[in-house]
């Protein structure tokens, strides 16, 4: 069991994740959707196609982040120790991923809110809310010292998994449309 301060930091990260997730969920449920809202001047199917394309770039970037993290933790077979620029590339990649996700999330929550009409849409809505909660927790975890060795990889792996869920429940579905 981790020492008391580490447990408190882990509890704080979990609490932050829950608070952000619940806040986004609540906003998405009480907000009146604006189906005519635009994303960079695109509306309707054009906006959804743009979100699918940017979402695909986010998925690629998430796997890039995963590879860099495996390299940093010396879990990438045959790669050896990661040089310092890899650490910086990982940080920059995470920041770019977060910033690129914001317009998509903003459009989703303002145009559609949190919907639970179908399993696919409910999964996407809930995963979107949880993504930002998990991201907030990861930022707190990465800034904390003396946490168990599994905390940061779990937080990062959760983000990659959520991006894959978000992509497969929306972007893949959109791109597969005739």
């Amino acid at each position: 069991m981790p020492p008391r301060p580490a447990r408190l930091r882990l509890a704080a990260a979990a609490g932050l994740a829950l608070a952000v997730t619940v806040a986004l969920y609540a906003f998405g449920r009480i907000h009146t959707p604006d189906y005519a809202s635009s994303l960079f001047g695109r509306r309707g199917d054009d906006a959804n196609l743009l979100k699918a394309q940017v979402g695909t770039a986010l998925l690629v970037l998430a796997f890039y982040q995963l590879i860099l993290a495996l390299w940093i933790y010396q879990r990438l077979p045959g790669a050896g120790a990661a040089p310092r620029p890899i650490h910086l590339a990982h940080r920059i990649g995470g920041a770019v991923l977060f910033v690129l996700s914001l317009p998509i999330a903003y459009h989703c929550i303002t145009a559609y809110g949190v919907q639970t009409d179908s399993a696919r849409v409910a999964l996407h809505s809930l995963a979107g809310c949880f993504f930002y909660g998990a991201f907030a927790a990861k930022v707190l975890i990465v800034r904390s010292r003396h946490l168990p060795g599994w905390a940061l990889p779990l937080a990062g792996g959760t983000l990659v998994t959520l991006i894959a869920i978000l992509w497969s429940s929306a972007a893949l579905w959109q791109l597969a449309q005739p």
Side-chain angles (χ1 to χ4, degrees):
M1 178 172 273
R4 184 176 170 93
R7 285 196 312 261
L8 291 175
R9 285 188 205 100
L10 289 171
L16 180 61
L18 183 63
V20 170
T21 301
V22 168
L24 287 171
Y25 178 84
F27 175 81
R29 291 300 289 173
I30 63 172
H31 170 73
T32 302
D34 177 10
Y35 299 109
S37 69
S38 72
L39 177 65
F40 302 117
R42 296 185 181 187
R43 300 186 189 295
D45 286 340
D46 287 341
N48 289 334
L49 179 59
L50 178 59
K51 287 191 305 186
Q53 292 166 339
V54 175
T56 300
L58 290 175
L59 180 67
V60 169
L61 187 52
F63 282 112
Y64 169 78
Q65 288 292 98
L66 177 61
I67 290 167
L68 292 182
L70 289 171
W71 194 357
I72 289 167
Y73 280 93
Q74 297 183 4
R75 299 286 192 258
L76 194 60
R84 293 307 278 157
I86 297 302
H87 296 258
L88 179 61
H90 185 71
R91 285 189 193 101
I92 291 170
V96 168
L97 193 149
F98 180 74
V99 169
L100 280 178
S101 75
L102 291 174
I104 296 172
Y106 179 79
H107 185 265
C108 284
I109 203 156
T110 58
Y112 304 110
V114 171
Q115 296 183 9
T116 56
D117 305 3
S118 71
R120 179 190 65 81
V121 173
L123 175 66
H124 185 75
S125 291
L126 295 174
C129 293
F130 190 58
F131 173 77
Y132 288 98
F135 192 89
K138 183 178 184 279
V139 169
L140 190 59
I141 289 169
V142 82
R143 301 279 180 218
S144 296
R145 302 262 187 240
H146 310 296
L147 292 178
W150 53 263
L152 188 56
L154 177 65
T158 299
L159 290 174
V160 172
T161 301
L162 287 166
I163 290 170
I165 290 169
L166 288 163
W167 182 83
S168 63
S169 62
L172 177 62
W173 182 84
Q174 178 69 31
L175 295 171
Q177 299 298 311

